[in-house]
Amino acid sequence: MIRLNLGAGNQPYEGFTGIDWTGWAMDVQHDLRDPLPYADDTVDDIYASHVVEHFPLWQIPAILRDWYRVLKPKTGLFWGIVPDGEPYVRLWQKAVRTKDWSLKRECLAVFHGGFTNNEYTGIGQVHYALYDQDLLQETLGQAGFYPVHVFKQQAG
């Protein structure tokens, strides 16, 4: 079985090949904007946790089409996790409404500045896109993924 952990960084998963441009969980160094180094229809599973939002929306269709390209037809499975954009938007609206400048800075750090004050700060940590359920389903569908099931994590 070929199981890929795309954007592995420092998050290894047993049985998965970590693919990223940096990080100790990386088994294969690769820029995910480039075609994956796997033949068509050869990959069983792709796991991409908190990866898709780190690419501009204009780059995502080609990236996702390539991921779809390597998955085995009918049996290949893609698991992707992205932050839910709706709470971030509500938080930003609250910051604007209340003129809470520290909350605005916090929102901007999450949206555009990455995770500040730690070793992971850098271009790879910038969020270029926010997704809600509809945009995520549409984006994955346009890349060939079907059916698409989106699950929202429940607070609590």
Side-chain angles (χ1 to χ4, degrees):
M1 280 188 85
I2 299 174
R3 305 178 86 193
L4 306 179
N5 175 12
L6 302 182
N10 294 328
Q11 296 294 318
Y13 292 99
E14 188 173 333
F16 284 77
T17 300
I19 299 180
D20 209 334
W21 60 278
T22 189
W24 60 262
M26 172 192 68
D27 299 304
V28 175
Q29 186 174 30
H30 183 77
D31 186 334
L32 293 175
R33 294 171 294 183
D34 296 331
L36 291 171
Y38 292 86
D40 296 2
D41 308 327
T42 57
V43 173
D44 296 282
D45 296 312
I46 291 177
Y47 178 72
S49 178
H50 294 275
V51 176
V52 175
E53 69 273 13
H54 292 277
F55 297 101
L57 285 173
W58 66 269
Q59 290 180 342
I60 286 299
I63 292 169
L64 290 177
R65 279 192 302 270
D66 186 63
W67 296 0
Y68 182 79
R69 171 190 66 81
V70 301
L71 279 174
K72 290 181 177 177
K74 298 184 182 179
T75 60
L77 186 60
F78 170 74
W79 291 302
I81 299 172
V82 298
D84 184 356
E86 291 180 38
Y88 287 118
V89 171
R90 284 194 296 277
L91 193 62
W92 176 258
Q93 289 171 331
K94 177 182 176 185
V96 169
R97 188 176 59 255
T98 62
K99 297 185 184 332
D100 184 336
W101 301 113
S102 66
L103 187 54
K104 278 187 180 183
R105 282 190 291 279
E106 180 183 335
C107 288
L108 288 173
V110 170
F111 294 147
H112 302 293
F115 306 99
T116 56
N117 300 323
N118 71 41
E119 64 189 276
Y120 304 112
T121 300
I123 195 162
Q125 293 301 321
V126 173
H127 288 177
Y128 286 96
L130 286 177
Y131 291 89
D132 66 2
Q133 184 170 347
D134 297 329
L135 180 58
L136 187 59
Q137 283 183 306
E138 177 183 321
T139 303
L140 289 167
Q142 289 173 348
F145 293 95
Y146 183 81
V148 174
H149 301 286
V150 176
F151 301 94
K152 290 180 86 165
Q153 181 178 357
Q154 299 301 313

